[in-house]
Amino acid sequence: MLPPARPAPNAPAAGSRRGGALTPGAGLSSARVAWRHSLRFRLAATYSLLALALIMLISLGVVTLLLSQMDQQFNDRLNDRADTLAEAFSTSGAGLGKTAGGANAYTMLIDDDGTVKAASPILRNFVRAPYPYGDQSRVNIGDTSVRAVKRKAGDFGMLWVGLPEDDLLAARQSAVSALLIALISTPLILLLVGWWVGRRALSGLQGAANLADQIDPTLSLATLPLPAREDEVHRLLSAINRLLVRIEAGQAREKQLLGQIVHELGAPLTVLKASLRRAEERTDDPEVRRAALVADELTFTTQDLMQLARGQLELKLAWHYIPARTLQERLERLVPGTTFEGDWRGGILCDPDRLTQAVRNLLANARRAAGADGSVTLTLDETADKVTFTVRDSGPGLPPELGERIFEPFISGAGSSGLGLSVSRQIAAMHGGSLSGGNHPQGGAEFVLSIPGAALGDED
């Protein structure tokens, strides 16, 4: 049996949500495989069918051989009896002191004219009557089935000798009934035994599956504990552990490379933004202003890449209580042409840089979808418990085939990098909120980002 898996530090419970999406292994460890899809059931059913076919062939062979031997023994008895009686009639003096049979004997002596000259007591009604059975080897006399043979009885004519086969038929019927009962009950017994054996044999494999289900690549890639017995399950878990080590090494290299790229881009972008800002202040040239916005776009893209490289758990929030108007001014400068609705006179408890990054990503996507002539609206609704940002655009809406995958990294329906929505959902989750998206009934896409409200009293 496999030892229980130790959860990784800070690992969420199975089925928990991170950023509005289920974690990769969520809910799988406790899932039950439907019996008709179970490997255990398929093995038990295959084992039962093969065993049933083998037992059926063997049973049919045994019963056929048994019935054949019983039939042969019956014929031998019948022929022995007929030969003995025929010898008594054919050999002078051989039959002295012998009888043709008892009260239940089936014998008839037939002359050359086909008339019964003598018969055993049970067949006395046939005496001096024509022989009625011709060449039949099986006849029914009353309720009794009789198998018969004929022998030459010297000068007396033809000797007809019969032997009741009711006992043989009863034995044959019993053997067939026993075979049918075995064929009916055996599959059920074999299926139950196969299910039990399969459950015991595959318990290690089921434990390995449960352990593998608990792996969350976003949190930890800790190797799985190995069973003591070096069987196929041990080999499977060893292969999984080697794969996890390679995955973790690959992820580390990817994060390192991504971090280096972002670092190399950060310094030139900072200098470029400062130079463009000074040029914009001196010249007020619209081309310079447009270049400054492009530099801001690149800066936010590098921030998204950095957040992706570091991972959510490595990021820390710097909480501040800021006026909503301050956030509006930032967003208005970053995404010009946005229409702001709602009440922006209150305050928001958040990490201003992260929240600006999240909402700005939504606005930038909306502007990209709506185009230069389209409309982008940001509505703020604030209550004591929740602050909600609703971003709506006049674009074509979200591709219906993407669904929730729109929030996965590098999945985009508008030709962007595909990082903005993923990062925005992570930031919302870090604030204790959520991000959802869909298509508005009147057209265009609509995203709703919610974070907890400050719930501050007058004294606070």
Side-chain angles (χ1 to χ4, degrees), residues 348-368:
I348 303 174
L349 181 62
C350 64
D351 182 322
D353 293 334
R354 296 298 176 192
L355 186 59
T356 300
Q357 180 182 2
V359 180
R360 176 261 166 203
N361 286 345
L362 298 179
L363 292 175
N365 286 344
R367 172 52 62 196
R368 190 179 297 111

PDB file of all heavy atoms in Angstrom, residues 348-368:
ATOM      1  N   ILE A 348     -10.457  53.761  -2.140  1.00  0.00           N
ATOM      2  CA  ILE A 348     -10.268  52.343  -2.437  1.00  0.00           C
ATOM      3  C   ILE A 348      -9.060  51.844  -1.660  1.00  0.00           C
ATOM      4  O   ILE A 348      -7.986  52.467  -1.685  1.00  0.00           O
ATOM      5  CB  ILE A 348     -10.040  52.107  -3.948  1.00  0.00           C
ATOM      6  CG1 ILE A 348     -11.199  52.676  -4.763  1.00  0.00           C
ATOM      7  CG2 ILE A 348      -9.867  50.617  -4.236  1.00  0.00           C
ATOM      8  CD1 ILE A 348     -10.964  52.603  -6.263  1.00  0.00           C
ATOM      9  N   LEU A 349      -9.210  50.712  -0.959  1.00  0.00           N
ATOM     10  CA  LEU A 349      -8.108  50.072  -0.262  1.00  0.00           C
ATOM     11  C   LEU A 349      -7.521  49.015  -1.196  1.00  0.00           C
ATOM     12  O   LEU A 349      -8.173  48.026  -1.515  1.00  0.00           O
ATOM     13  CB  LEU A 349      -8.598  49.421   1.032  1.00  0.00           C
ATOM     14  CG  LEU A 349      -7.519  48.725   1.872  1.00  0.00           C
ATOM     15  CD1 LEU A 349      -6.470  49.726   2.337  1.00  0.00           C
ATOM     16  CD2 LEU A 349      -8.134  47.994   3.062  1.00  0.00           C
ATOM     17  N   CYS A 350      -6.275  49.237  -1.653  1.00  0.00           N
ATOM     18  CA  CYS A 350      -5.703  48.349  -2.659  1.00  0.00           C
ATOM     19  C   CYS A 350      -4.212  48.579  -2.749  1.00  0.00           C
ATOM     20  O   CYS A 350      -3.642  49.425  -2.053  1.00  0.00           O
ATOM     21  CB  CYS A 350      -6.342  48.623  -4.023  1.00  0.00           C
ATOM     22  SG  CYS A 350      -6.010  50.286  -4.654  1.00  0.00           S
ATOM     23  N   ASP A 351      -3.580  47.801  -3.625  1.00  0.00           N
ATOM     24  CA  ASP A 351      -2.223  48.104  -4.075  1.00  0.00           C
ATOM     25  C   ASP A 351      -2.398  48.946  -5.333  1.00  0.00           C
ATOM     26  O   ASP A 351      -2.799  48.414  -6.380  1.00  0.00           O
ATOM     27  CB  ASP A 351      -1.461  46.812  -4.373  1.00  0.00           C
ATOM     28  CG  ASP A 351      -0.029  47.067  -4.794  1.00  0.00           C
ATOM     29  OD1 ASP A 351       0.218  48.043  -5.520  1.00  0.00           O
ATOM     30  OD2 ASP A 351       0.852  46.268  -4.428  1.00  0.00           O
ATOM     31  N   PRO A 352      -2.157  50.229  -5.288  1.00  0.00           N
ATOM     32  CA  PRO A 352      -2.483  51.102  -6.429  1.00  0.00           C
ATOM     33  C   PRO A 352      -1.816  50.661  -7.733  1.00  0.00           C
ATOM     34  O   PRO A 352      -2.449  50.671  -8.788  1.00  0.00           O
ATOM     35  CB  PRO A 352      -1.977  52.478  -5.983  1.00  0.00           C
ATOM     36  CG  PRO A 352      -1.938  52.410  -4.486  1.00  0.00           C
ATOM     37  CD  PRO A 352      -1.597  51.002  -4.152  1.00  0.00           C
ATOM     38  N   ASP A 353      -0.531  50.265  -7.663  1.00  0.00           N
ATOM     39  CA  ASP A 353       0.165  49.872  -8.894  1.00  0.00           C
ATOM     40  C   ASP A 353      -0.442  48.602  -9.492  1.00  0.00           C
ATOM     41  O   ASP A 353      -0.664  48.526 -10.707  1.00  0.00           O
ATOM     42  CB  ASP A 353       1.653  49.660  -8.604  1.00  0.00           C
ATOM     43  CG  ASP A 353       2.351  50.966  -8.234  1.00  0.00           C
ATOM     44  OD1 ASP A 353       1.867  52.036  -8.661  1.00  0.00           O
ATOM     45  OD2 ASP A 353       3.371  50.913  -7.515  1.00  0.00           O
ATOM     46  N   ARG A 354      -0.719  47.621  -8.623  1.00  0.00           N
ATOM     47  CA  ARG A 354      -1.263  46.366  -9.134  1.00  0.00           C
ATOM     48  C   ARG A 354      -2.687  46.551  -9.651  1.00  0.00           C
ATOM     49  O   ARG A 354      -3.042  46.024 -10.712  1.00  0.00           O
ATOM     50  CB  ARG A 354      -1.259  45.297  -8.033  1.00  0.00           C
ATOM     51  CG  ARG A 354       0.107  44.917  -7.541  1.00  0.00           C
ATOM     52  CD  ARG A 354       0.939  44.308  -8.639  1.00  0.00           C
ATOM     53  NE  ARG A 354       2.293  44.014  -8.188  1.00  0.00           N
ATOM     54  CZ  ARG A 354       3.291  43.697  -8.978  1.00  0.00           C
ATOM     55  NH1 ARG A 354       3.115  43.687 -10.294  1.00  0.00           N
ATOM     56  NH2 ARG A 354       4.493  43.448  -8.491  1.00  0.00           N
ATOM     57  N   LEU A 355      -3.510  47.276  -8.913  1.00  0.00           N
ATOM     58  CA  LEU A 355      -4.881  47.479  -9.356  1.00  0.00           C
ATOM     59  C   LEU A 355      -4.914  48.292 -10.647  1.00  0.00           C
ATOM     60  O   LEU A 355      -5.717  48.018 -11.550  1.00  0.00           O
ATOM     61  CB  LEU A 355      -5.692  48.175  -8.257  1.00  0.00           C
ATOM     62  CG  LEU A 355      -7.189  48.322  -8.544  1.00  0.00           C
ATOM     63  CD1 LEU A 355      -7.830  46.956  -8.758  1.00  0.00           C
ATOM     64  CD2 LEU A 355      -7.884  49.073  -7.414  1.00  0.00           C
ATOM     65  N   THR A 356      -4.040  49.313 -10.742  1.00  0.00           N
ATOM     66  CA  THR A 356      -3.952  50.076 -11.989  1.00  0.00           C
ATOM     67  C   THR A 356      -3.573  49.158 -13.143  1.00  0.00           C
ATOM     68  O   THR A 356      -4.141  49.236 -14.245  1.00  0.00           O
ATOM     69  CB  THR A 356      -2.914  51.202 -11.862  1.00  0.00           C
ATOM     70  OG1 THR A 356      -3.304  52.086 -10.798  1.00  0.00           O
ATOM     71  CG2 THR A 356      -2.784  51.985 -13.153  1.00  0.00           C
ATOM     72  N   GLN A 357      -2.622  48.233 -12.890  1.00  0.00           N
ATOM     73  CA  GLN A 357      -2.193  47.300 -13.922  1.00  0.00           C
ATOM     74  C   GLN A 357      -3.358  46.400 -14.358  1.00  0.00           C
ATOM     75  O   GLN A 357      -3.569  46.180 -15.551  1.00  0.00           O
ATOM     76  CB  GLN A 357      -1.045  46.440 -13.384  1.00  0.00           C
ATOM     77  CG  GLN A 357      -0.505  45.425 -14.394  1.00  0.00           C
ATOM     78  CD  GLN A 357       0.592  44.567 -13.782  1.00  0.00           C
ATOM     79  OE1 GLN A 357       0.922  44.697 -12.603  1.00  0.00           O
ATOM     80  NE2 GLN A 357       1.168  43.690 -14.591  1.00  0.00           N
ATOM     81  N   ALA A 358      -4.144  45.902 -13.392  1.00  0.00           N
ATOM     82  CA  ALA A 358      -5.248  44.996 -13.719  1.00  0.00           C
ATOM     83  C   ALA A 358      -6.330  45.701 -14.542  1.00  0.00           C
ATOM     84  O   ALA A 358      -6.760  45.203 -15.588  1.00  0.00           O
ATOM     85  CB  ALA A 358      -5.849  44.416 -12.437  1.00  0.00           C
ATOM     86  N   VAL A 359      -6.774  46.889 -14.065  1.00  0.00           N
ATOM     87  CA  VAL A 359      -7.848  47.593 -14.769  1.00  0.00           C
ATOM     88  C   VAL A 359      -7.342  48.131 -16.102  1.00  0.00           C
ATOM     89  O   VAL A 359      -8.071  48.118 -17.114  1.00  0.00           O
ATOM     90  CB  VAL A 359      -8.406  48.738 -13.891  1.00  0.00           C
ATOM     91  CG1 VAL A 359      -9.517  49.478 -14.621  1.00  0.00           C
ATOM     92  CG2 VAL A 359      -8.930  48.185 -12.567  1.00  0.00           C
ATOM     93  N   ARG A 360      -6.095  48.579 -16.135  1.00  0.00           N
ATOM     94  CA  ARG A 360      -5.536  49.071 -17.386  1.00  0.00           C
ATOM     95  C   ARG A 360      -5.494  47.961 -18.440  1.00  0.00           C
ATOM     96  O   ARG A 360      -5.764  48.211 -19.622  1.00  0.00           O
ATOM     97  CB  ARG A 360      -4.139  49.615 -17.113  1.00  0.00           C
ATOM     98  CG  ARG A 360      -3.413  50.081 -18.364  1.00  0.00           C
ATOM     99  CD  ARG A 360      -2.445  49.006 -18.831  1.00  0.00           C
ATOM    100  NE  ARG A 360      -1.985  49.273 -20.181  1.00  0.00           N
ATOM    101  CZ  ARG A 360      -1.528  48.349 -20.983  1.00  0.00           C
ATOM    102  NH1 ARG A 360      -1.503  47.095 -20.598  1.00  0.00           N
ATOM    103  NH2 ARG A 360      -1.114  48.656 -22.200  1.00  0.00           N
ATOM    104  N   ASN A 361      -5.167  46.719 -18.040  1.00  0.00           N
ATOM    105  CA  ASN A 361      -5.170  45.598 -18.986  1.00  0.00           C
ATOM    106  C   ASN A 361      -6.560  45.391 -19.588  1.00  0.00           C
ATOM    107  O   ASN A 361      -6.704  45.143 -20.788  1.00  0.00           O
ATOM    108  CB  ASN A 361      -4.704  44.327 -18.292  1.00  0.00           C
ATOM    109  CG  ASN A 361      -3.213  44.320 -18.026  1.00  0.00           C
ATOM    110  OD1 ASN A 361      -2.474  45.131 -18.597  1.00  0.00           O
ATOM    111  ND2 ASN A 361      -2.769  43.424 -17.167  1.00  0.00           N
ATOM    112  N   LEU A 362      -7.580  45.506 -18.749  1.00  0.00           N
ATOM    113  CA  LEU A 362      -8.949  45.336 -19.247  1.00  0.00           C
ATOM    114  C   LEU A 362      -9.309  46.449 -20.226  1.00  0.00           C
ATOM    115  O   LEU A 362      -9.921  46.199 -21.272  1.00  0.00           O
ATOM    116  CB  LEU A 362      -9.929  45.331 -18.067  1.00  0.00           C
ATOM    117  CG  LEU A 362      -9.764  44.208 -17.034  1.00  0.00           C
ATOM    118  CD1 LEU A 362     -10.800  44.358 -15.927  1.00  0.00           C
ATOM    119  CD2 LEU A 362      -9.886  42.842 -17.687  1.00  0.00           C
ATOM    120  N   LEU A 363      -8.932  47.688 -19.882  1.00  0.00           N
ATOM    121  CA  LEU A 363      -9.245  48.820 -20.763  1.00  0.00           C
ATOM    122  C   LEU A 363      -8.476  48.733 -22.080  1.00  0.00           C
ATOM    123  O   LEU A 363      -9.024  49.046 -23.145  1.00  0.00           O
ATOM    124  CB  LEU A 363      -8.916  50.130 -20.052  1.00  0.00           C
ATOM    125  CG  LEU A 363      -9.801  50.479 -18.838  1.00  0.00           C
ATOM    126  CD1 LEU A 363      -9.285  51.746 -18.163  1.00  0.00           C
ATOM    127  CD2 LEU A 363     -11.254  50.645 -19.254  1.00  0.00           C
ATOM    128  N   ALA A 364      -7.223  48.308 -21.997  1.00  0.00           N
ATOM    129  CA  ALA A 364      -6.420  48.212 -23.223  1.00  0.00           C
ATOM    130  C   ALA A 364      -6.999  47.151 -24.155  1.00  0.00           C
ATOM    131  O   ALA A 364      -7.088  47.350 -25.382  1.00  0.00           O
ATOM    132  CB  ALA A 364      -4.975  47.880 -22.867  1.00  0.00           C
ATOM    133  N   ASN A 365      -7.429  46.009 -23.600  1.00  0.00           N
ATOM    134  CA  ASN A 365      -8.066  44.976 -24.424  1.00  0.00           C
ATOM    135  C   ASN A 365      -9.364  45.493 -25.037  1.00  0.00           C
ATOM    136  O   ASN A 365      -9.682  45.213 -26.202  1.00  0.00           O
ATOM    137  CB  ASN A 365      -8.329  43.726 -23.588  1.00  0.00           C
ATOM    138  CG  ASN A 365      -7.069  42.948 -23.303  1.00  0.00           C
ATOM    139  OD1 ASN A 365      -6.047  43.138 -23.944  1.00  0.00           O
ATOM    140  ND2 ASN A 365      -7.143  42.059 -22.316  1.00  0.00           N
ATOM    141  N   ALA A 366     -10.128  46.227 -24.221  1.00  0.00           N
ATOM    142  CA  ALA A 366     -11.393  46.761 -24.720  1.00  0.00           C
ATOM    143  C   ALA A 366     -11.148  47.764 -25.851  1.00  0.00           C
ATOM    144  O   ALA A 366     -11.861  47.761 -26.869  1.00  0.00           O
ATOM    145  CB  ALA A 366     -12.163  47.419 -23.580  1.00  0.00           C
ATOM    146  N   ARG A 367     -10.159  48.639 -25.687  1.00  0.00           N
ATOM    147  CA  ARG A 367      -9.853  49.618 -26.729  1.00  0.00           C
ATOM    148  C   ARG A 367      -9.383  48.909 -27.996  1.00  0.00           C
ATOM    149  O   ARG A 367      -9.745  49.295 -29.117  1.00  0.00           O
ATOM    150  CB  ARG A 367      -8.783  50.588 -26.217  1.00  0.00           C
ATOM    151  CG  ARG A 367      -8.229  51.551 -27.253  1.00  0.00           C
ATOM    152  CD  ARG A 367      -9.329  52.297 -27.981  1.00  0.00           C
ATOM    153  NE  ARG A 367     -10.115  53.114 -27.070  1.00  0.00           N
ATOM    154  CZ  ARG A 367     -11.288  53.633 -27.350  1.00  0.00           C
ATOM    155  NH1 ARG A 367     -11.853  53.361 -28.546  1.00  0.00           N
ATOM    156  NH2 ARG A 367     -11.948  54.363 -26.485  1.00  0.00           N
ATOM    157  N   ARG A 368      -8.571  47.877 -27.847  1.00  0.00           N
ATOM    158  CA  ARG A 368      -8.090  47.123 -29.008  1.00  0.00           C
ATOM    159  C   ARG A 368      -9.262  46.467 -29.739  1.00  0.00           C
ATOM    160  O   ARG A 368      -9.285  46.413 -30.976  1.00  0.00           O
ATOM    161  CB  ARG A 368      -7.082  46.071 -28.549  1.00  0.00           C
ATOM    162  CG  ARG A 368      -6.330  45.384 -29.682  1.00  0.00           C
ATOM    163  CD  ARG A 368      -5.336  44.373 -29.144  1.00  0.00           C
ATOM    164  NE  ARG A 368      -4.311  45.026 -28.330  1.00  0.00           N
ATOM    165  CZ  ARG A 368      -4.200  44.880 -27.020  1.00  0.00           C
ATOM    166  NH1 ARG A 368      -5.071  44.142 -26.357  1.00  0.00           N
ATOM    167  NH2 ARG A 368      -3.247  45.490 -26.361  1.00  0.00           N
TER     168      ARG A 368
END
